[in-house]
Coordinates of all heavy atoms in Angstrom, one line a residue:
M67 N -11.0 14.9 -8.8 CA -11.6 15.3 -7.5 C -12.9 14.5 -7.5 O -13.6 14.3 -8.5 CB -11.9 16.7 -7.6 CG -12.6 17.1 -6.4 SD -13.2 18.9 -6.3 CE -11.6 19.6 -6.2
L68 N -13.2 13.9 -6.3 CA -14.4 13.2 -6.1 C -15.6 14.1 -5.9 O -15.4 15.0 -5.1 CB -14.2 12.2 -4.9 CG -15.4 11.4 -4.4 CD1 -15.8 10.4 -5.5 CD2 -15.2 10.8 -3.1
E69 N -16.6 14.0 -6.7 CA -17.8 14.8 -6.5 C -19.0 13.9 -6.0 O -19.2 12.9 -6.6 CB -18.1 15.5 -7.8 CG -19.2 16.4 -7.7 CD -19.5 17.2 -9.0 OE1 -18.5 17.2 -9.8 OE2 -20.6 17.4 -9.3
I70 N -19.6 14.4 -4.9 CA -20.7 13.6 -4.4 C -22.0 14.5 -4.7 O -21.9 15.6 -4.2 CB -20.5 13.3 -2.9 CG1 -19.2 12.5 -2.7 CG2 -21.8 12.7 -2.4 CD1 -19.0 12.3 -1.3
Q71 N -23.0 13.9 -5.3 CA -24.2 14.7 -5.6 C -25.3 14.1 -4.9 O -25.3 12.9 -4.5 CB -24.4 14.6 -7.2 CG -23.4 15.3 -8.0 CD -23.6 15.1 -9.4 OE1 -24.6 14.5 -9.9 NE2 -22.7 15.7 -10.3
N72 N -26.4 14.9 -4.7 CA -27.6 14.4 -4.1 C -27.4 14.0 -2.7 O -28.2 13.1 -2.2 CB -28.2 13.4 -4.9 CG -28.7 13.9 -6.3 OD1 -29.0 15.0 -6.5 ND2 -28.5 13.1 -7.3
V73 N -26.4 14.5 -1.9 CA -26.3 14.2 -0.5 C -26.6 15.4 0.3 O -26.0 16.4 0.2 CB -24.8 13.7 -0.2 CG1 -24.7 13.4 1.3 CG2 -24.5 12.5 -1.0
Q74 N -27.6 15.3 1.1 CA -28.1 16.4 2.0 C -27.3 16.5 3.3 O -26.9 17.6 3.7 CB -29.6 16.3 2.2 CG -30.4 16.5 0.9 CD -31.9 16.3 1.2 OE1 -32.3 16.1 2.3 NE2 -32.7 16.4 0.2
Y75 N -27.1 15.4 3.9 CA -26.3 15.4 5.1 C -25.8 13.9 5.4 O -26.3 13.0 4.8 CB -27.2 15.8 6.3 CG -28.3 15.0 6.6 CD1 -28.2 13.9 7.5 CD2 -29.6 15.1 5.9 CE1 -29.3 13.0 7.8 CE2 -30.6 14.2 6.2 CZ -30.5 13.3 7.1 OH -31.5 12.4 7.4
A76 N -25.0 13.8 6.4 CA -24.4 12.5 6.8 C -24.4 12.4 8.4 O -24.1 13.4 9.0 CB -23.0 12.2 6.2
D77 N -25.0 11.3 8.8 CA -25.0 11.2 10.2 C -23.6 10.7 10.8 O -23.3 11.2 11.9 CB -25.9 10.1 10.7 CG -27.4 10.5 10.5 OD1 -27.6 11.7 10.5 OD2 -28.3 9.6 10.3
C78 N -22.9 10.1 10.0 CA -21.5 9.5 10.5 C -20.7 9.3 9.2 O -21.2 8.7 8.2 CB -21.7 8.3 11.3 SG -20.1 7.8 12.0
I79 N -19.4 9.6 9.2 CA -18.4 9.3 8.2 C -17.5 8.2 8.8 O -17.0 8.3 9.9 CB -17.7 10.5 7.9 CG1 -18.7 11.5 7.2 CG2 -16.6 10.2 6.8 CD1 -18.0 12.9 6.9
C80 N -17.2 7.2 8.0 CA -16.3 6.2 8.4 C -15.0 6.3 7.6 O -15.0 6.3 6.4 CB -17.0 4.8 8.1 SG -15.9 3.4 8.5
S81 N -13.9 6.3 8.3 CA -12.6 6.4 7.7 C -11.7 5.2 8.0 O -12.0 4.6 9.1 CB -11.8 7.7 8.4 OG -10.5 7.6 8.0
M82 N -10.9 4.7 7.1 CA -10.2 3.5 7.4 C -8.6 3.7 6.9 O -8.1 2.8 6.4 CB -10.8 2.4 6.6 CG -12.2 2.1 7.0 SD -12.9 0.8 6.0 CE -13.3 1.8 4.6
S83 N -8.2 4.8 7.3 CA -6.8 5.1 6.7 C -5.8 5.4 7.8 O -4.7 6.0 7.5 CB -6.9 6.1 5.7 OG -7.4 7.4 6.4
Q84 N -6.1 5.1 9.1 CA -5.1 5.5 10.1 C -5.2 4.4 11.2 O -6.2 3.8 11.5 CB -5.5 6.9 10.7 CG -5.4 7.1 12.1 CD -6.0 8.4 12.5 OE1 -6.4 9.3 11.7 NE2 -6.0 8.7 13.7
V85 N -4.0 4.1 11.7 CA -3.9 3.0 12.8 C -4.5 3.6 14.1 O -4.1 4.7 14.5 CB -2.4 2.7 13.1 CG1 -2.4 1.7 14.3 CG2 -1.8 2.0 11.8
V86 N -5.5 3.0 14.7 CA -6.0 3.4 16.0 C -5.7 2.1 17.0 O -5.8 1.0 16.5 CB -7.4 3.8 16.0 CG1 -7.5 5.2 15.3 CG2 -8.3 2.7 15.2
E87 N -5.4 2.4 18.2 CA -5.0 1.4 19.2 C -6.0 0.3 19.4 O -5.7 -0.8 19.5 CB -4.7 2.1 20.5 CG -4.0 1.1 21.5 CD -3.5 1.8 22.8 OE1 -3.5 3.0 22.8 OE2 -3.3 1.1 23.7
D88 N -7.3 0.7 19.6 CA -8.4 -0.3 19.9 C -9.1 -0.8 18.7 O -10.2 -1.4 18.8 CB -9.4 0.4 20.9 CG -8.7 0.8 22.2 OD1 -7.8 0.1 22.7 OD2 -9.0 1.8 22.8
G89 N -8.6 -0.6 17.5 CA -9.3 -1.1 16.3 C -10.3 -0.1 15.7 O -10.5 -0.1 14.5
Y90 N -11.0 0.6 16.5 CA -11.8 1.7 16.1 C -11.8 2.9 17.2 O -11.5 2.6 18.2 CB -13.3 1.2 15.9 CG -14.0 1.0 17.1 CD1 -14.8 1.8 17.6 CD2 -13.9 -0.2 17.9 CE1 -15.6 1.7 18.8 CE2 -14.5 -0.5 19.0 CZ -15.4 0.5 19.5 OH -16.1 0.3 20.6
E91 N -12.1 4.1 16.6 CA -12.2 5.2 17.5 C -13.0 6.2 16.9 O -13.1 6.5 15.7 CB -10.8 5.7 17.7 CG -10.6 6.8 18.7 CD -9.2 7.3 19.0 OE1 -8.3 6.5 18.7 OE2 -9.1 8.4 19.6
F92 N -13.9 6.8 17.8 CA -14.8 7.9 17.4 C -14.2 9.3 17.5 O -13.4 9.4 18.4 CB -16.1 7.9 18.2 CG -17.1 6.8 17.8 CD1 -17.2 5.6 18.5 CD2 -17.9 7.0 16.7 CE1 -18.0 4.6 18.0 CE2 -18.8 6.0 16.3 CZ -18.9 4.8 17.0
F93 N -14.5 10.2 16.7 CA -14.0 11.6 16.7 C -15.1 12.5 16.5 O -16.2 12.0 16.0 CB -13.0 11.8 15.7 CG -11.6 11.0 15.9 CD1 -11.6 9.8 15.2 CD2 -10.6 11.3 16.7 CE1 -10.4 9.0 15.2 CE2 -9.5 10.5 16.9 CZ -9.3 9.4 16.1
A94 N -15.0 13.8 16.6 CA -15.9 14.8 16.1 C -17.3 14.6 16.6 O -18.2 14.5 15.9 CB -15.9 15.0 14.6
D95 N -17.4 14.4 18.0 CA -18.7 14.2 18.7 C -19.5 13.0 18.0 O -20.7 13.0 17.8 CB -19.6 15.5 18.4 CG -20.3 15.9 19.7 OD1 -20.0 15.4 20.7 OD2 -21.1 16.8 19.5
R96 N -18.7 11.9 17.8 CA -19.2 10.7 17.3 C -19.7 10.8 15.8 O -20.5 10.0 15.5 CB -20.2 10.0 18.2 CG -19.5 9.7 19.6 CD -20.5 9.0 20.6 NE -20.9 7.7 20.2 CZ -20.3 6.5 20.4 NH1 -19.3 6.6 21.2 NH2 -20.8 5.4 20.0
Q97 N -19.3 11.8 15.1 CA -19.8 11.9 13.8 C -18.7 11.3 12.7 O -19.0 11.2 11.5 CB -20.0 13.4 13.4 CG -21.3 13.9 14.2 CD -21.6 15.3 13.7 OE1 -20.7 16.0 13.4 NE2 -22.9 15.7 13.9
L98 N -17.6 10.9 13.3 CA -16.5 10.3 12.5 C -16.0 9.1 13.3 O -15.7 9.2 14.4 CB -15.3 11.3 12.2 CG -14.1 10.8 11.5 CD1 -14.4 10.3 10.1 CD2 -13.0 11.8 11.6
V99 N -15.9 7.9 12.6 CA -15.3 6.9 13.2 C -14.2 6.3 12.3 O -14.4 6.2 11.1 CB -16.4 5.7 13.4 CG1 -17.0 5.2 12.2 CG2 -15.8 4.5 14.2
T100 N -13.1 6.1 12.9 CA -12.0 5.5 12.2 C -11.9 4.0 12.5 O -11.9 3.6 13.7 CB -10.6 6.2 12.5 OG1 -10.7 7.5 12.1 CG2 -9.4 5.4 11.9
I101 N -11.9 3.1 11.5 CA -11.8 1.6 11.7 C -10.5 1.2 11.1 O -10.1 1.6 10.0 CB -12.9 0.9 11.0 CG1 -14.2 1.4 11.6 CG2 -12.8 -0.5 11.2 CD1 -15.4 1.1 10.8
F102 N -9.8 0.3 11.9 CA -8.6 -0.1 11.2 C -8.5 -1.6 11.5 O -8.6 -2.1 12.6 CB -7.2 0.5 11.9 CG -6.0 0.3 11.1 CD1 -5.9 1.2 10.0 CD2 -5.1 -0.6 11.4 CE1 -4.7 1.0 9.2 CE2 -4.0 -0.8 10.6 CZ -3.7 0.1 9.5
S103 N -8.5 -2.5 10.4 CA -8.8 -3.9 10.5 C -7.6 -4.7 10.7 O -7.7 -5.9 10.8 CB -9.5 -4.4 9.3 OG -8.8 -4.2 8.2
A104 N -6.4 -4.2 10.7 CA -5.1 -5.0 10.7 C -4.5 -5.0 12.2 O -3.9 -3.9 12.5 CB -4.1 -4.5 9.7
P105 N -4.7 -6.0 12.9 CA -4.1 -6.0 14.2 C -2.5 -6.1 14.1 O -2.0 -6.8 13.1 CB -4.6 -7.1 15.0 CG -5.2 -8.1 13.9 CD -5.5 -7.2 12.7
N106 N -1.7 -5.6 15.0 CA -0.3 -5.6 14.9 C 0.2 -5.2 13.6 O 1.0 -5.8 12.9 CB 0.2 -7.1 15.2 CG -0.1 -7.6 16.5 OD1 -0.9 -8.4 16.7 ND2 0.7 -7.2 17.6
Y107 N -0.2 -4.1 13.2 CA 0.1 -3.5 11.8 C 1.6 -3.5 11.5 O 2.4 -3.0 12.2 CB -0.5 -2.1 11.7 CG -0.3 -1.5 10.3 CD1 -0.8 -2.1 9.2 CD2 0.4 -0.3 10.1 CE1 -0.6 -1.5 7.9 CE2 0.7 0.3 8.9 CZ 0.0 -0.3 7.8 OH 0.2 0.2 6.6
C108 N 1.9 -4.2 10.4 CA 3.3 -4.3 9.9 C 4.3 -4.9 11.0 O 5.5 -4.8 10.9 CB 3.8 -3.0 9.4 SG 3.0 -2.5 7.9
G109 N 3.7 -5.4 12.0 CA 4.7 -6.0 13.1 C 5.2 -4.9 13.9 O 6.1 -5.2 14.7
E110 N 4.9 -3.6 13.7 CA 5.5 -2.5 14.3 C 4.6 -1.9 15.4 O 5.1 -1.3 16.4 CB 5.8 -1.3 13.3 CG 6.7 -1.8 12.3 CD 8.2 -2.0 12.8 OE1 8.6 -1.1 13.6 OE2 8.9 -2.8 12.3
F111 N 3.3 -2.1 15.3 CA 2.3 -1.6 16.3 C 1.8 -2.7 17.0 O 1.7 -3.8 16.7 CB 1.3 -0.8 15.5 CG 1.7 0.4 14.8 CD1 2.2 0.3 13.5 CD2 1.8 1.6 15.3 CE1 2.6 1.4 12.8 CE2 2.2 2.7 14.7 CZ 2.7 2.6 13.4
D112 N 1.2 -2.3 18.2 CA 0.6 -3.3 19.2 C -0.9 -3.0 19.2 O -1.6 -3.0 20.2 CB 1.1 -3.1 20.6 CG 0.8 -4.3 21.4 OD1 0.5 -5.4 21.0 OD2 0.9 -4.1 22.7
N113 N -1.5 -2.6 18.0 CA -2.9 -2.3 17.9 C -3.9 -3.5 17.7 O -3.5 -4.5 17.2 CB -3.1 -1.2 16.7 CG -2.8 -1.9 15.4 OD1 -1.7 -2.3 15.1 ND2 -3.9 -2.1 14.6
A114 N -5.1 -3.2 18.1 CA -6.2 -4.2 17.8 C -6.7 -3.8 16.4 O -6.4 -2.7 15.9 CB -7.3 -4.2 18.8
G115 N -7.4 -4.8 15.9 CA -8.1 -4.5 14.6 C -9.7 -4.5 14.9 O -10.1 -4.9 15.9
A116 N -10.4 -4.1 13.9 CA -11.9 -4.1 14.1 C -12.5 -4.2 12.9 O -12.1 -3.9 11.8 CB -12.3 -2.8 14.8
M117 N -13.8 -4.8 12.9 CA -14.8 -4.7 11.8 C -16.0 -4.1 12.3 O -16.5 -4.3 13.4 CB -15.1 -6.1 11.4 CG -13.8 -6.8 10.8 SD -14.1 -8.5 10.1 CE -14.3 -9.4 11.6
M118 N -16.7 -3.3 11.5 CA -17.9 -2.6 11.9 C -19.1 -3.2 11.0 O -19.0 -3.4 9.8 CB -17.8 -1.2 11.6 CG -19.1 -0.3 12.0 SD -18.8 1.5 11.9 CE -19.1 1.6 10.1
T119 N -20.3 -3.4 11.7 CA -21.4 -3.8 11.0 C -22.5 -2.7 11.4 O -22.5 -2.1 12.5 CB -22.0 -5.2 11.4 OG1 -22.1 -5.1 12.8 CG2 -21.0 -6.2 11.0
V120 N -23.3 -2.4 10.4 CA -24.4 -1.4 10.6 C -25.7 -2.1 10.2 O -25.8 -2.7 9.3 CB -24.2 -0.2 9.6 CG1 -25.3 0.9 9.8 CG2 -22.8 0.4 9.8
D121 N -26.6 -2.0 11.2 CA -27.9 -2.8 11.0 C -28.9 -1.9 10.3 O -28.6 -0.7 10.0 CB -28.5 -3.3 12.3 CG -29.0 -2.3 13.3 OD1 -29.1 -1.1 13.0 OD2 -29.3 -2.7 14.4
E122 N -30.1 -2.4 10.0 CA -31.2 -1.6 9.3 C -31.6 -0.3 10.1 O -32.1 0.6 9.4 CB -32.4 -2.5 9.0 CG -33.0 -3.2 10.1 CD -32.3 -4.5 10.6 OE1 -31.5 -5.0 9.9 OE2 -32.7 -4.9 11.7
S123 N -31.3 -0.3 11.4 CA -31.7 0.9 12.1 C -30.5 1.9 12.2 O -30.5 2.8 13.0 CB -32.1 0.5 13.6 OG -33.2 -0.4 13.5
L124 N -29.5 1.6 11.5 CA -28.2 2.3 11.4 C -27.5 2.3 12.8 O -26.8 3.3 13.1 CB -28.6 3.8 10.9 CG -29.1 3.9 9.6 CD1 -29.3 5.4 9.2 CD2 -28.2 3.3 8.6
V125 N -27.6 1.2 13.5 CA -26.9 1.1 14.7 C -25.6 0.3 14.4 O -25.6 -0.7 13.6 CB -27.6 0.3 15.8 CG1 -26.8 -0.1 17.0 CG2 -28.9 1.0 16.2
C126 N -24.4 0.9 14.7 CA -23.1 0.4 14.5 C -22.7 -0.5 15.7 O -22.8 -0.2 16.7 CB -22.1 1.5 14.4 SG -22.4 2.7 13.1
S127 N -22.1 -1.7 15.2 CA -21.5 -2.6 16.2 C -20.1 -3.0 15.7 O -19.9 -3.0 14.5 CB -22.4 -3.7 16.5 OG -22.6 -4.4 15.4
F128 N -19.3 -3.4 16.7 CA -17.9 -3.7 16.3 C -17.5 -5.0 16.8 O -17.8 -5.5 17.9 CB -16.9 -2.6 16.9 CG -17.3 -1.2 16.4 CD1 -18.2 -0.4 17.1 CD2 -16.6 -0.7 15.3 CE1 -18.4 0.9 16.6 CE2 -16.9 0.6 14.8 CZ -17.8 1.4 15.5
Q129 N -16.7 -5.7 16.0 CA -16.1 -6.9 16.4 C -14.5 -6.6 16.5 O -13.8 -6.1 15.5 CB -16.3 -8.0 15.4 CG -15.6 -9.3 15.7 CD -15.9 -10.4 14.7 OE1 -16.7 -10.2 13.8 NE2 -15.3 -11.6 14.9
I130 N -14.0 -6.9 17.6 CA -12.6 -6.5 17.9 C -11.7 -7.7 17.6 O -12.0 -8.9 17.9 CB -12.4 -6.1 19.4 CG1 -13.3 -4.9 19.7 CG2 -10.9 -5.7 19.7 CD1 -13.2 -3.8 18.9
L131 N -10.6 -7.5 16.9 CA -9.6 -8.5 16.6 C -8.3 -8.1 17.4 O -7.7 -7.2 17.1 CB -9.2 -8.4 15.0 CG -10.4 -8.5 14.1 CD1 -9.9 -8.1 12.7 CD2 -11.0 -9.9 14.1
K132 N -8.2 -8.9 18.5 CA -7.1 -8.6 19.5 C -5.8 -8.8 18.8 O -5.5 -9.7 18.0 CB -7.3 -9.4 20.6 CG -8.5 -9.1 21.5 CD -8.6 -9.9 22.7 CE -9.9 -9.6 23.4 NZ -10.0 -10.2 24.7
P133 N -4.7 -8.0 19.2 CA -3.4 -8.1 18.8 C -2.8 -9.4 19.4 O -3.2 -9.8 20.5 CB -2.6 -7.0 19.2 CG -3.4 -6.4 20.4 CD -4.9 -6.8 20.2
V134 N -1.9 -10.1 18.6 CA -1.2 -11.3 19.2 C 0.0 -10.8 19.9 O 0.6 -9.8 19.6 CB -0.9 -12.4 18.1 CG1 -2.1 -12.9 17.5 CG2 0.0 -11.7 17.0
E135 N 0.4 -11.6 20.8 CA 1.6 -11.3 21.6 C 2.8 -11.5 20.6 O 2.9 -12.5 20.0 CB 1.8 -12.2 22.8 CG 1.1 -11.7 24.0 CD 1.5 -12.5 25.3 OE1 2.6 -12.8 25.4 OE2 0.5 -12.8 26.1
K136 N 3.7 -10.7 20.8 CA 4.8 -10.8 19.9 C 5.9 -11.8 20.6 O 6.1 -11.7 21.7 CB 5.7 -9.5 19.7 CG 4.8 -8.4 18.9 CD 5.6 -7.2 18.8 CE 4.7 -6.1 18.1 NZ 5.4 -4.8 18.0
K137 N 6.3 -12.8 19.8 CA 7.2 -13.8 20.2 C 8.6 -13.4 19.8 O 8.8 -12.9 18.7 CB 6.9 -15.2 19.7 CG 5.6 -15.7 20.2 CD 5.2 -17.0 19.6 CE 3.8 -17.4 20.1 NZ 3.5 -18.8 19.5
P138 N 9.6 -13.7 20.6 CA 11.0 -13.3 20.1 C 11.4 -14.2 18.9 O 11.0 -15.4 19.0 CB 11.9 -13.6 21.3 CG 10.9 -14.3 22.3 CD 9.6 -14.2 21.9
S139 N 12.0 -13.5 18.0 CA 12.3 -14.3 16.7 C 13.7 -14.9 17.0 O 14.6 -14.3 17.6 CB 12.4 -13.3 15.6 OG 13.0 -13.9 14.5
I140 N 13.8 -16.2 16.5 CA 15.1 -16.8 16.7 C 16.0 -16.4 15.5 O 17.2 -16.6 15.5 CB 14.9 -18.4 16.7 CG1 14.2 -18.9 15.4 CG2 14.3 -18.8 17.9 CD1 14.2 -20.4 15.2
F141 N 15.4 -15.7 14.5 CA 16.2 -15.3 13.4 C 16.4 -13.8 13.6 O 15.6 -13.1 13.9 CB 15.5 -15.5 12.0 CG 15.1 -16.9 11.8 CD1 13.9 -17.4 11.9 CD2 16.1 -17.9 11.4 CE1 13.6 -18.7 11.7 CE2 15.8 -19.2 11.1 CZ 14.6 -19.6 11.3
R142 N 17.7 -13.5 13.4 CA 18.0 -12.0 13.6 C 18.7 -11.5 12.4 O 19.9 -11.4 12.2 CB 19.1 -12.1 14.8 CG 18.6 -12.6 16.0 CD 18.6 -11.5 17.1 NE 18.1 -12.1 18.3 CZ 17.0 -12.0 18.9 NH1 16.0 -11.2 18.3 NH2 16.7 -12.6 20.1
F143 N 17.8 -11.1 11.5 CA 18.2 -10.5 10.2 C 18.8 -9.1 10.4 O 18.2 -8.4 11.1 CB 17.2 -10.6 9.1 CG 16.7 -11.9 8.8 CD1 15.4 -12.4 9.3 CD2 17.5 -12.7 8.0 CE1 15.0 -13.6 9.0 CE2 17.0 -14.0 7.7 CZ 15.8 -14.4 8.2
G144 N 20.0 -8.8 9.9 CA 20.4 -7.4 10.0 C 20.9 -7.2 11.4 O 20.9 -6.0 11.8
S145 N 21.3 -8.2 12.2 CA 21.7 -8.0 13.5 C 23.0 -7.1 13.6 O 23.8 -7.3 12.8 CB 21.9 -9.3 14.2 OG 22.5 -9.2 15.5
T146 N 23.1 -6.4 14.6 CA 24.3 -5.6 14.9 C 25.4 -6.4 15.4 O 26.5 -5.9 15.6 CB 24.0 -4.3 15.7 OG1 23.5 -4.8 16.9 CG2 23.2 -3.4 14.9
T147 N 25.1 -7.7 15.9 CA 26.1 -8.5 16.4 C 26.8 -9.4 15.5 O 27.7 -10.2 15.8 CB 25.4 -9.4 17.6 OG1 24.4 -10.2 16.9 CG2 24.8 -8.5 18.7
T148 N 26.5 -9.3 14.2 CA 27.1 -10.1 13.2 C 28.5 -9.6 13.0 O 28.7 -8.4 12.9 CB 26.4 -9.9 11.8 OG1 25.0 -10.3 12.0 CG2 26.9 -10.8 10.8
V149 N 29.5 -10.6 13.1 CA 30.9 -10.2 13.0 C 31.3 -10.5 11.5 O 31.2 -11.7 11.1 CB 31.7 -10.8 14.1 CG1 33.2 -10.5 13.9 CG2 31.3 -10.4 15.5
K150 N 31.9 -9.6 10.9 CA 32.4 -9.9 9.6 C 33.9 -10.3 9.7 O 34.6 -9.8 10.4 CB 32.4 -8.5 8.8 CG 32.6 -8.7 7.3 CD 32.4 -7.2 6.8 CE 32.7 -7.1 5.4 NZ 32.5 -5.7 5.0
P151 N 34.1 -11.4 8.9 CA 35.6 -12.0 9.1 C 36.5 -10.9 8.6 O 36.2 -10.2 7.6 CB 35.6 -13.1 8.2 CG 34.3 -13.2 7.4 CD 33.4 -12.2 8.1
S152 N 37.6 -10.7 9.2 CA 38.7 -9.8 8.9 C 39.5 -10.3 7.7 O 39.6 -11.5 7.6 CB 39.5 -9.4 10.0 OG 40.2 -10.6 10.5
T153 N 40.0 -9.5 7.0 CA 40.8 -9.9 5.8 C 42.3 -10.1 6.4 O 42.8 -9.3 7.1 CB 40.9 -8.7 4.8 OG1 39.6 -8.3 4.4 CG2 41.7 -9.1 3.5
P154 N 42.9 -11.3 6.0 CA 44.1 -11.5 6.6 C 45.3 -10.6 6.0 O 45.1 -10.1 4.9 CB 44.5 -13.0 6.2 CG 43.4 -13.3 5.3 CD 42.3 -12.3 5.3
T155 N 46.2 -10.1 6.8 CA 47.2 -9.3 6.4 C 48.4 -10.0 6.0 O 48.7 -11.1 6.4 CB 47.6 -8.3 7.5 OG1 47.9 -9.1 8.7 CG2 46.5 -7.4 8.0
K156 N 49.1 -9.5 5.1 CA 50.4 -10.2 4.6 C 51.5 -9.8 5.5 O 51.6 -8.7 5.9 CB 50.7 -9.7 3.2 CG 49.7 -10.2 2.1 CD 50.2 -9.8 0.8 CE 49.1 -10.3 -0.2 NZ 49.4 -10.0 -1.6
A157 N 52.3 -10.8 5.8 CA 53.4 -10.6 6.7 C 54.5 -9.8 5.9 O 54.8 -10.1 4.6 CB 54.0 -11.9 7.2
K158 N 55.2 -8.9 6.5 CA 56.2 -8.2 5.8 C 57.6 -9.0 6.0 O 57.8 -9.4 7.0 CB 56.4 -6.8 6.4 CG 55.2 -5.9 6.1 CD 55.5 -4.5 6.6 CE 54.4 -3.6 6.3 NZ 54.6 -2.3 6.7
V159 N 58.2 -9.1 5.0 CA 59.5 -9.8 4.9 C 60.6 -8.7 4.8 O 60.7 -7.9 3.9 CB 59.6 -10.7 3.8 CG1 61.0 -11.5 3.7 CG2 58.5 -11.7 3.8
F160 N 61.6 -8.7 5.8 CA 62.7 -7.8 5.8 C 63.9 -8.5 5.4 O 64.3 -9.6 5.5 CB 62.9 -7.2 7.2 CG 61.8 -6.3 7.6 CD1 60.7 -6.8 8.3 CD2 61.6 -5.0 7.2 CE1 59.6 -6.0 8.8 CE2 60.7 -4.2 7.6 CZ 59.6 -4.7 8.3

């Protein structure tokens, strides 16, 4: 268990463990900010990424990493259109 000592209060908590569409998102009356730095996460999401900087006055600013447009792939791994060759049948002789 993580134990934090000598902390009286926090103005803002930063979390980085959840995909958010715009790269960052505030919650809880702007006391929690979630930042996600991976645009197009795993090729499955259309999210932006973000980086946060905090200056000496504790003002937060964000740099947004825009998602790239997905291009159609010419490779179709695991395609359902793949046809497996059939096994030839032996002719019956009467």
